[in-house]
Amino acid sequence: MGGMNLAERFGRLAALCRADAEFRLAARYWSGGLRLEAGALSVSVVVENGAIVEGEVRAGGDGVLCLSASEPAWLALTRQKPPRFYNDFANLAVMG
């Protein structure tokens, strides 16, 4: 993902979730969605009983996890090898 801009990286979210065995295991009973935001740019996936389906989720919806960060933070977080402290959302929340 090194040469991709943020919109291209965000555009791969659903495919990455479907391909990630750990995500699928963790989401197996989840209904809601995941929404990532960077200013005006956002992407979301809908999860129905653990399956990723087409659709759009809104922040504040039932079962929706919304994560918002600056574009530079998302670019660092989504690198193949993120810089120190950019490998975990908890670290980023503490950093602000």
Side-chain angles (χ1 to χ4, degrees), residues 48-70:
E48 289 182 5
N49 294 314
I52 305 297
V53 297
E54 295 297 320
E56 180 77 17
V57 296
R58 300 279 177 223
D62 288 343
V64 173
L65 175 63
C66 184
L67 302 171
S68 182
S70 67

Side-chain angles (χ1 to χ4, degrees), residues 7-78:
E8 292 169 324
R9 292 178 190 195
F10 271 15
R12 297 186 60 217
L13 180 63
L16 290 170
C17 290
R18 283 186 190 106
D20 188 317
E22 288 184 35
F23 179 87
R24 291 192 327 267
L25 180 64
R28 67 189 179 277
Y29 302 117
W30 181 22
S31 288
L34 174 63
R35 182 177 176 86
L36 307 181
E37 299 177 341
L41 181 62
S42 68
V43 64
S44 62
V45 293
V46 176
V47 183
E48 289 182 5
N49 294 314
I52 305 297
V53 297
E54 295 297 320
E56 180 77 17
V57 296
R58 300 279 177 223
D62 288 343
V64 173
L65 175 63
C66 184
L67 302 171
S68 182
S70 67
E71 186 169 334
W74 280 119
L75 287 170
L77 183 68
T78 58

